[in-house]
């Protein structure tokens, strides 16, 4: 899958999280599941999150991109946008994910672009459009995240520790 790109964040955001002892690139990564699936985040801001994922290794028995793989990419990108919108005092928790699959893909790389539909104080909703290498829409998803306060230890307020 080649060398991973490092997501570039505005310096003020890096500084804000560093002051809290948080590794920002790790926090906004695709996580263990996304890493296994080859998800790479290439651009990240509260206004737009872009990521890619290979079709190879993420197919269902018929050789098409698995719908669940598209859901992983969509939730990853929408969650990153929600976290960036919420800032360092909030954590984004997905509460609703809807995916509509438009066409099958058998090879190559798919690209997801998440843009906000709603950014409030307690929820954030993103639309995620996943396209193939010919810029044909493969999937349209919508993710809503609850924005919960982070307790001083870094866990969501009210979470068991």
């Amino acid at each position: 899958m080649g060398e991973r790109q490092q997501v570039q964040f505005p310096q003020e955001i890096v500084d804000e999280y560093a002051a809290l002892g948080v590794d920002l690139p790790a926090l906004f990564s695709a996580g263990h599941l996304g890493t296994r699936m080859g998800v790479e985040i290439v651009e990240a801001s509260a206004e737009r999150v872009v990521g890619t994922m290979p079709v190879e290794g993420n197919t269902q028995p018929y050789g098409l991109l698995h719908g669940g793989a598209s859901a992983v990419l969509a939730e990853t990108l929408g969650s990153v946008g929600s976290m960036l919108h919420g800032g360092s005092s909030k954590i984004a928790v997905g509460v609703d994910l809807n995916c509509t699959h438009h066409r099958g893909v058998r090879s190559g790389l798919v690209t997801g672009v998440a843009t906000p539909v709603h950014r409030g104080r307690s929820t954030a909703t993103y639309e995620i459009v996943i396209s193939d290498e010919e810029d044909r829409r493969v999937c349209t998803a919508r993710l809503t995240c609850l924005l919960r306060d982070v307790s001083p230890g870094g866990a969501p307020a009210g979470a068991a520790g």
Side-chain angles (χ1 to χ4, degrees):
M1 286 182 223
E3 188 175 313
R4 289 202 174 269
Q5 297 178 341
Q6 184 71 29
V7 179
Q8 297 299 314
F9 295 98
Q11 190 59 47
E12 61 271 11
I13 293 175
V14 172
D15 294 344
E16 178 183 357
Y17 282 87
L20 300 170
V22 175
D23 178 357
L24 189 64
L27 180 63
F28 294 116
S29 74
H32 295 296
L33 176 61
T35 298
R36 271 184 275 155
M37 296 179 71
V39 172
E40 292 190 26
I41 298 171
V42 296
E43 178 185 332
S45 72
E47 292 77 30
R48 177 179 156 99
V49 182
V50 179
T52 61
M53 180 179 67
V55 173
E56 183 179 345
N58 294 313
T59 58
Q60 37 89 312
Y62 301 116
L64 298 171
L65 178 64
H66 195 290
S70 293
V72 168
L73 178 59
E75 185 151 358
T76 299
L77 300 178
S79 293
V80 168
S82 296
M83 288 287 290
L84 287 168
H85 164 66
S88 61
S89 65
K90 300 283 187 178
I91 187 166
V93 180
V95 294
D96 182 62
L97 176 65
N98 173 282
C99 299
T100 301
H101 307 287
H102 306 293
R103 71 173 57 244
V105 181
R106 292 188 180 277
S107 64
L109 200 65
V110 292
T111 300
V113 179
T115 54
V117 174
H118 167 77
R119 291 186 295 174
R121 288 187 306 259
S122 60
T123 63
T125 300
Y126 280 75
E127 177 185 59
I128 304 92
V129 174
I130 300 173
S131 303
D132 65 13
E133 291 179 316
E134 296 176 21
D135 204 29
R136 296 179 300 186
R137 191 176 291 222
V138 173
C139 175
T140 303
R142 186 192 67 246
L143 174 71
T144 297
C145 289
L146 176 65
L147 300 174
R148 297 194 56 196
D149 291 330
V150 174
S151 66

